[in-house]
Amino acid sequence: MSDERQAHQRALELTVAAIDFELEPDERARLTTHLDACPTCRRASSLYAADERAMEVLPAVSAPDRVEARVLGTTRDRAGRPAGRGWLLTIAAAAGLVAIGGLLLQRLPGLDTSAGAPPATTRMDLSAAPGSPAPRSPAPVSPAPRSAAPVTPTPATPTTPDAGPLDWRSVAVPAGQDDARILATFAEQGLAIATVVEPSGEAGLWTSREGGPWQDTELLGGAFGGSAPFLVVPFGDGFVALGWADVARSETERRIWVSPDGLAWRANVDPSASLGSFGHGLAAASDDTILVGGRSATGETMIWRSTDGVVFSRLTVGDGLARGLLGGVVSDGSSFFAFGELDGAVAMWRTDDGSVWTALEPPPESARVIRLAASPGGLLAQGATRAAPSVDTAIWRADGQGWVDVPALSLGAGDRILRFAGSHAGLLVVWQDGYTSNMHAAHSSDGRSWAVTEIGGLPDGVVIDHVDLAGWVLIGLGRDRQGGTVAFAADLPG
């Protein structure tokens, strides 16, 4: 790990420790110095504080007996005594915050890079063997100059109200899995899939059809190397996942996994699918191309491309993209769009196939962009303005003529966006009013006219963490007041 990344990681560890413990004077001074100079870690620190305030209002809960016995049997305090319940809850909370902090450090905005495009005509060959064709030679990339395109805003169309509110209904989770931790969800047609860490610590896969009960699906052959992936994208007639080859998630063991149906997975055995070492994974697919990538130990952005989901070619990217701190990549079905930071400023790029990346003008007066969604009707971005750099409540749209605000999507400082995605069907945004039971969904085919509706029926104390769209059903996974995993579904009018 580079010295810079170690400094960021150490700052995040101290930030988490400071929530429950008094730091040593030198630790406090080192943390303050780092936060003063690092906006990324400073934002992470503010989010930790917000989560801590939210946790303070929740009632104390007891861990399930089987979990407490297992943890207390292996965890001891500094004096060598078995750790008590207080230590158990502290360790669990800190582990969760460090996991979130790792994502913030890597600038990974959730899982919004899967655009959910319809199946393309090219079918992945899942029977590939070690004798598959050799990887194609890296394609040269001509870096395009960064230029500011003139902005000609188009008038916003008034919001189109939905016919009526939606209602969540409770959905059963697999028996004995209410302590599982949900990593990611993705959906294609009527099938919803969740990658989870089971109470035993092993990787798991849940499936739900048309908003029905979640089923625990066996991962045949040690799928994902025992470590569930964060990034899964539909591609061709199947799915492609960016994961690891081992349960330790070694950075030197990044690997591509493939599935014909989202249920049966296997490692891509083509030599080009073993991607080696990088952090902060990225993945997105158009109708005929998939791009995956990450950031090397030296800070360089790396991108691979495949047109069949089997053979991946390392691309040579231009200086701007290579030096950029990418937050994510999305696709509208025909092109790809990347967002992040370059030389301390908001930056965006566009490419048709990963070969040539053209710099795009970011939203005006934007201090940060943390999410991007793409559909054939245009782009949607979320972030912060220079006037209010500490809150990510600004939402902009672009339809080829410039970026403008979206009045229909007016967020409060505590609102939590749970789904921010685009597909051939348009743009979808789902958010929850902080940690209350109030939820909303907004849909638009072009980013100009929006149908906004309320989603009711969520019990008090339930926090939704993951939302996806499976056919005509909105699915949600989260936690109840006691910290157990819960699932809900809302049927859309069809």
Side-chain angles (χ1 to χ4, degrees):
M1 181 181 292
S2 66
D3 292 342
E4 181 181 1
R5 288 183 62 82
Q6 285 181 336
H8 290 306
Q9 185 64 42
R10 180 56 179 160
L12 292 175
E13 291 172 353
L14 290 174
T15 298
V16 172
I19 293 175
D20 293 300
F21 305 100
E22 184 69 26
L23 297 180
E24 297 293 334
D26 63 321
E27 292 177 327
R28 171 61 64 183
R30 187 161 62 250
L31 174 60
T32 300
T33 300
H34 184 89
L35 294 182
D36 287 343
C38 179
T40 299
C41 290
R42 190 163 60 247
R43 170 165 168 73
S45 178
S46 66
L47 291 177
Y48 291 158
D51 280 346
E52 173 65 10
R53 289 192 297 271
M55 291 170 65
E56 286 176 350
V57 303
L58 297 176
V61 297
S62 299
D65 292 342
R66 63 182 184 281
V67 175
E68 182 174 352
R70 183 166 63 249
V71 175
L72 292 180
T74 57
T75 306
R76 308 184 70 84
D77 65 16
R78 295 182 179 179
R81 298 183 299 269
R85 184 184 304 274
W87 273 99
L88 172 64
L89 297 180
T90 298
I91 292 171
L97 290 175
V98 169
I100 297 172
L103 297 181
L104 289 169
L105 174 63
Q106 297 168 346
R107 304 290 290 175
L108 180 62
L111 296 152
D112 301 319
T113 56
S114 55
T121 55
T122 304
R123 182 179 181 85
M124 290 191 298
D125 181 6
L126 297 179
S127 62
S132 300
R136 294 181 291 276
S137 301
V141 176
S142 301
R146 182 181 178 87
S147 59
V151 178
T152 307
T154 54
T157 303
T159 302
T160 302
D162 197 276
L166 302 175
D167 288 308
W168 288 113
R169 54 181 170 81
S170 179
V171 175
V173 299
Q177 296 292 313
D178 55 342
D179 301 323
R181 179 165 61 92
I182 309 299
L183 295 180
T185 62
F186 57 100
E188 179 71 352
Q189 305 300 332
L191 177 66
I193 302 175
T195 57
V196 307
V197 176
E198 297 178 345
S200 63
E202 298 179 350
L205 197 72
W206 295 0
T207 60
S208 171
R209 292 189 180 276
E210 303 295 341
W214 287 90
Q215 306 292 327
D216 191 0
T217 302
E218 182 180 2
L219 291 178
L220 302 177
F224 304 134
S227 181
F230 278 94
L231 292 170
V232 180
V233 292
F235 182 64
D237 288 342
F239 297 86
V240 173
L242 175 59
W244 293 264
D246 64 347
V247 71
R249 294 182 180 171
S250 306
E251 288 191 347
T252 57
E253 297 294 338
R254 289 283 191 171
R255 177 174 289 279
I256 297 294
W257 295 78
V258 292
S259 171
D261 55 10
L263 304 178
W265 289 87
R266 70 162 179 80
N268 185 340
V269 296
D270 189 272
S272 67
S274 182
L275 305 182
S277 174
F278 61 85
H280 181 25
L282 305 165
S286 66
D287 291 344
D288 55 14
T289 301
I290 182 169
L291 299 181
V292 298
R295 199 165 184 82
S296 70
T298 60
E300 177 190 4
T301 295
M302 303 185 295
I303 301 290
W304 286 262
R305 176 180 63 196
S306 177
T307 58
D308 60 7
V310 176
V311 179
F312 283 79
S313 301
R314 169 81 182 273
L315 303 178
T316 302
V317 298
D319 178 65
L321 189 70
R323 291 188 298 110
L325 183 64
L326 264 62
V329 178
V330 299
S331 175
D332 64 358
S334 59
S335 300
F336 295 88
F337 303 87
F339 68 95
E341 296 180 5
L342 178 62
D343 298 330
V346 177
M348 291 184 175
W349 298 267
R350 177 190 176 278
T351 183
D352 288 332
D353 59 5
S355 296
V356 178
W357 294 82
T358 303
L360 300 178
E361 185 68 14
E365 298 301 314
S366 57
R368 175 176 57 250
V369 169
I370 64 169
R371 289 186 176 94
L372 189 67
S375 76
L379 299 177
L380 196 68
Q382 180 203 355
T385 64
R386 295 172 189 168
S390 62
V391 290
D392 296 304
T393 56
I395 295 183
W396 306 272
R397 67 172 178 84
D399 55 8
Q401 296 183 332
W403 291 96
V404 295
D405 294 335
V406 183
L409 302 178
S410 179
L411 299 179
D415 290 348
R416 304 167 53 246
I417 287 188
L418 305 172
R419 186 65 178 167
F420 195 91
S423 69
H424 283 259
L427 299 161
L428 174 67
V429 180
V430 180
W431 69 97
Q432 186 172 5
D433 292 348
Y435 293 92
T436 72
S437 59
N438 300 323
M439 294 190 65
H440 319 266
H443 175 265
S444 174
S445 61
D446 57 8
R448 300 171 62 186
S449 178
W450 288 85
V452 182
T453 185
E454 306 296 317
I455 312 177
L458 193 67
D460 290 339
V462 168
V463 175
I464 297 295
D465 297 315
H466 302 275
V467 170
D468 219 313
L469 186 63
W472 289 96
V473 180
L474 202 64
I475 59 127
L477 286 163
R479 296 160 284 136
D480 61 17
R481 192 181 295 274
Q482 287 72 42
T485 301
V486 291
F488 296 86
D491 299 304
L492 304 179

